[in-house]
């Protein structure tokens, strides 16, 4: 009992246990949502991505102690910049490749572009 | 007084430097994710994620890796308190769980390849094996690093240098679990939905 009390007062330990329990809940939640197809597909995709981002924040705070950094928060600055680069690379690639697929795919060129661009035959 | 200050700032510089490395590794994974996202439907007529991925299996892998990230945290606490026995126990468990994860992943890769779904077959599979395989390579490197540090602790004891290295390994291991969260979500869960 005393060991349990002193363990509960151990801040790093409490941080890890909390982070673990939250991450476990978020993981099982995502899994449950998909396996039981609880929402429509697009809503489902949004939900599991949101749960993943929440779990990312949980692990950054509780496992990697990102909020406990003293000012100036250089670790946070580096993380923010990396996130910016990641967003540019991922969203940029998706946009460019989707656009290329639209413009270069012969079947689609006939079917959609005539329609979209209002080209009269 | 000055030597105490420089030791402290040297440690914090080391941690910051390692964090910057982890951020570059993050960008590396982002490029692999972008490639996978672009190629995910290019199955060349073959089976896609919906046919190939077993969600219960992947959940088991995910829970194993998450638990190992937790135990590596407990190991880090022990290392910072210079508690040799606890450090060995918790990093030992982390190693066992990490090895179990790797075994499951290699088993999945072997199963896919032997059934004719290797990385040479389609863009989807190339991207899948590259992304998940790169993560697996990182896990392997982490396990090798862990084994080396644990042998060092057993043979030469737990001093400030090794404690620092174990903390860095802990950071690395947490980072790998974070990347896996996104592999689990984007590759396996979204793949199972046919997204």
């Amino acid at each position: 009992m005393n060991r349990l009390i002193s363990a509960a007062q151990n801040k790093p330990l409490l941080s890890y246990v909390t982070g673990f329990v939250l991450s476990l809940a978020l993981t099982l939640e995502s899994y449950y949502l998909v396996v039981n197809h609880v929402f429509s597909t697009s809503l489902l995709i949004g939900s599991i991505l949101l749960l993943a981002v929440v779990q990312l924040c949980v692990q950054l705070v509780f496992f990697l102690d990102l909020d406990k950094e003293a000012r100036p928060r250089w670790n946070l600055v580096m993380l923010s910049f990396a996130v910016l680069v990641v967003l540019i690379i991922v969203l940029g690639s998706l946009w460019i490749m989707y656009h290329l697929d639209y413009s270069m795919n012969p079947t689609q060129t006939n079917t959609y572009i005539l329609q979209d661009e209002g080209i009269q035959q | 007084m000055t030597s105490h200050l420089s030791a402290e700032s040297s440690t914090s510089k080391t941690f910051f430097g390692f964090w910057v490395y982890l951020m570059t590794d993050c960008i590396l994974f982002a490029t692999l994710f972008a490639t996978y996202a672009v190629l995910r439907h290019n199955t060349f007529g073959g089976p896609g994620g919906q046919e190939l991925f077993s969600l219960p299996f992947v959940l088991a892998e995910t829970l194993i890796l998450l638990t190992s990230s937790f135990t590596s945290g407990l190991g880090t606490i022990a290392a910072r308190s210079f508690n040799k026995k606890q450090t060995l126990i918790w990093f030992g468990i982390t190693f066992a769980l990490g090895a179990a994860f790797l075994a499951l992943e290699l088993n999945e890769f072997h199963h896919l390849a032997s059934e004719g779904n290797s990385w040479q077959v389609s863009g989807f599979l190339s991207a899948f094996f590259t992304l998940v395989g790169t993560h697996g390579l990182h896990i392997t490197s982490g396990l090798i690093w862990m084994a080396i540090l644990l042998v060092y602790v057993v043979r030469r004891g737990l001093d400030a240098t090794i404690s620092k290295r174990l903390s860095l390994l802990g950071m690395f291991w947490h980072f790998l679990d974070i990347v896996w969260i996104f592999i689990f979500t984007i590759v396996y869960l979204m793949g199972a939905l046919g997204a």
Side-chain angles (χ1 to χ4, degrees):
Chain A
M1 193 59 197
N2 283 327
R3 278 189 68 182
L4 211 57
I5 293 174
S6 62
Q9 288 170 331
N10 179 338
K11 286 211 199 87
L13 179 63
L14 205 55
S15 181
Y16 278 116
V17 171
T18 314
F20 180 57
V21 169
L22 285 175
S23 299
L24 203 57
L26 290 164
T27 304
L28 292 172
E29 179 66 27
S30 283
Y31 182 80
Y32 175 82
L33 285 178
V34 169
V35 165
N36 293 307
H37 217 293
V38 174
F39 305 129
S40 67
T41 304
S42 44
L43 195 58
L44 213 44
I45 292 171
S47 318
I48 59 179
L49 279 174
L50 186 67
L51 286 170
V53 169
V54 171
Q55 195 181 149
L56 166 69
C57 296
V58 163
Q59 293 210 14
L60 283 174
V61 166
F62 291 102
F63 285 1
L64 288 165
D65 291 335
L66 204 61
D67 60 334
K68 291 180 190 56
E69 196 186 358
R71 286 175 180 257
R73 298 194 211 254
W74 288 118
N75 284 3
L76 191 58
V77 169
M78 291 309 308
L79 178 69
S80 309
F81 180 64
V83 167
L84 177 66
V85 172
V86 164
L87 287 175
I88 291 173
I89 288 174
V90 174
L91 298 178
S93 297
L94 285 169
W95 183 24
I96 290 172
M97 296 311 289
Y98 171 77
H99 189 265
L100 281 177
D101 189 45
Y102 177 84
S103 305
M104 310 289 239
N105 185 323
T107 326
Q108 283 187 297
T109 315
N110 294 328
T111 325
Y112 300 123
I113 293 190
L114 289 176
Q115 211 176 294
D116 290 349
E117 310 293 324
I119 299 169
Q120 305 301 322
Q121 274 287 346
Chain B
M1 177 98 170
T2 30
S3 62
H4 167 75
L5 274 174
S6 62
E8 230 179 61
S9 68
S10 154
T11 303
S12 68
K13 275 187 215 166
T14 307
F15 278 100
F16 179 64
F18 195 74
W19 180 256
V20 174
Y21 154 68
L22 288 179
M23 294 300 97
T24 68
D25 218 11
C26 190
I27 293 172
L28 175 80
F29 277 106
T31 65
L32 298 179
F33 269 108
T35 308
Y36 176 81
V38 167
L39 294 175
R40 68 194 189 280
H41 293 305
N42 294 29
T43 58
F44 197 48
Q50 276 181 310
E51 292 85 10
L52 295 173
F53 300 150
S54 159
L55 286 187
F57 185 84
V58 171
L59 181 67
E61 282 182 312
T62 308
L63 295 178
I64 288 173
L65 199 64
L66 174 61
T67 309
S68 77
S69 187
F70 173 61
T71 57
S72 78
L74 298 180
T76 305
I77 294 176
R80 288 184 189 165
S81 318
F82 295 99
N83 185 330
K84 180 171 165 176
K85 184 166 159 228
Q86 291 267 311
T87 302
L88 289 172
I89 290 173
W90 291 117
F91 274 109
I93 295 177
T94 306
F95 185 90
L97 290 170
F101 172 86
L102 199 60
L104 286 176
E105 190 160 84
L106 287 170
N107 181 283
E108 183 194 9
F109 284 2
H110 175 78
H111 180 75
L112 284 171
S114 63
E115 295 223 317
N117 296 309
S118 77
W119 51 90
Q120 297 174 320
V121 161
S122 68
F124 159 70
L125 285 166
S126 296
F128 168 80
F129 275 101
T130 307
L131 172 59
V132 183
T134 303
H135 178 267
L137 270 175
H138 278 73
I139 294 277
T140 308
S141 310
L143 289 176
I144 295 172
W145 186 13
M146 210 178 295
I148 292 173
L149 285 183
L150 289 177
V151 165
Y152 198 106
V153 170
V154 166
R155 295 179 66 184
R156 294 207 225 173
L158 188 54
D159 60 16
T161 309
I162 296 305
S163 170
K164 183 167 83 174
R165 289 177 189 173
L166 285 165
S167 290
L168 293 172
L169 174 60
M171 275 170 77
F172 185 68
W173 203 254
H174 291 317
F175 168 74
L176 289 181
D177 190 47
I178 288 174
V179 173
W180 182 260
I181 298 170
F182 288 96
I183 293 181
F184 173 64
T185 304
I186 294 174
V187 174
Y188 292 105
L189 288 184
M190 284 172 59
L193 289 174

